[in-house]
Amino acid sequence: MIDFSFRMLTKVVYGRGMAKKIGEECKKLGAKKVFYVTDEFMVQNSPAFPVILESMKQAGLEVMVYSDIQPDPSIEVVMKASQAMKDFGADVAVALGGGSPMDCAKSVCMLQTNEGSIADYMYKRRTITNPAKPLICIPTTAGTGSEVTAGAVTTDKQSQEKIGVSDDTMMAKLAVIDPELLLSMPPSLTASTGLDALCHAIEGYTSTQSHPISDAMCLHSIRLVGENLVKSVANGRDIDARGNMALASLMAAAAFTNVGLGAVHAIAHCLGAMYHVPHGVANAVMLPHVMEFNVPATPEKFRQIAIALGQNVDGLNLRDAAYKSVEAVRQFNIDCGIPTLKAVGLTAEDIPTVVKNSITYRLMPCNPRTVSEKDLERILNSALALG
Ligand code: NAD
């Protein structure tokens, strides 16, 4: 028996056409002025963007649209957005987009009520003492699950690091999941974000902190990715597959925000900051290599992952059945067109920097197998040797 705790502080509503109700939801949170955070792609292309804006205006709310958000928001991007929200005097924020606008909005809401720069919280010079302003998240990708996690990731361009700040009060008050918003994702974005969800589910399931509730959520998420990711990549109009990927992303994130992640994310954050590779690609490229390293620590869990991904393990011993999970993920990467580590930009000369920046990752203790600097070096060298 193990002792554990589990919290899920975000209300989730799931369904098609939910965007029309955002105005009313803002009012329930006491909003008069709303800071509407998104990115320029959404403003120009998303059919949901004007629907949400209109819904807020119909509800009598004053709205400021803020779309100056780039992928992997930097300290500068977060601070500029935070100042804009302060100047406008908004009492609620709404984020529409992928992990980048959602994370930026989470940091911005926290900075409305807590002094200093986001960098102070990234580098632990300050602690969060006041609850963040209320936030509603509306994801348009299925991968990060940021709509239900406590953390927000910011890029420090100077140190070339991506660092998370996490606090329960940064969790969105409401997550609105509408599978229709995912239909516009091109295959490459569908693939990379879907593999981000798979990585969350696998790292959450095998975390040293995992427990029965997180296990159930992660294993079901792995199953959903196994059944729906390749379908979504091949046919972006498949609304059922999109809806299942949205669920997979949400469940994996709701679990990992309770039980942590591991070495894949440690390395992926470095690759993202150093080579500006999309977060999902950075995860996917490392996932099979780290899984291979982790299998001996918890083979039964990896056997379950293999089964959840549809592998036939009948007649195999535990070890061979467990390694089937690695094979399955390798095949996923091929089916989804994920590049190799070399193609991402890693060179042998950069490996010491990646090792140095990864080993201190705050969630590394959750990795099922203890990882040393030498281990990371070996994992990266052998992954690079494969091309
Ligand atoms: P993103 O938000 O960076 O968006 C990538 C691109 O996809 C953008 O150009 C965007 O305009 C476009 N896009 C978004 N939705 C689209 C749609 N429906 N159709 C077409 N294009 C669309 O991508 P992401 O992968 O969702 O987010 C990555 C960020 O999330 C990273 O910074 C990562 O570190 C962070 N993250 C946060 C958490 C968390 O718990 N807070 C977890 C994982 C990742």
Side-chain angles (χ1 to χ4, degrees), residues 103-159:
D103 275 16
C104 185
K106 281 159 101 175
S107 298
V108 162
C109 284
M110 184 277 286
L111 289 169
Q112 301 306 295
T113 50
N114 292 274
E115 296 288 316
S117 156
I118 190 65
D120 295 331
Y121 300 92
M122 291 159 70
Y123 293 109
K124 312 238 178 285
R125 296 190 290 258
R126 283 179 188 268
T127 51
I128 296 169
T129 47
N130 299 314
K133 291 257 179 180
L135 169 68
I136 295 176
C137 281
I138 310 159
T140 63
T141 60
T144 73
S146 176
E147 67 275 13
V148 290
T149 66
V153 182
T154 304
T155 301
D156 183 337
K157 289 203 278 195
Q158 233 177 347
S159 69

Side-chain angles (χ1 to χ4, degrees), residues 352-368:
T353 310
V354 176
V355 170
K356 181 174 80 60
N357 290 348
S358 309
I359 200 77
T360 53
Y361 178 58
R362 76 190 162 92
L363 298 177
M364 195 65 115
C366 301
N367 195 69

Side-chain angles (χ1 to χ4, degrees), residues 5 14 43 52 71 79 96 103 119 132 143 151 178 193 202 217 219 238 294 300 323 371:
S5 71
Y14 178 98
V43 173
I52 293 168
M79 293 315 295
L96 171 75
D103 275 16
D178 182 345
T193 52
I202 291 177
M217 295 174 100
L219 206 50
D238 184 336
N294 282 339
E300 176 51 27
Y323 280 107
V371 192

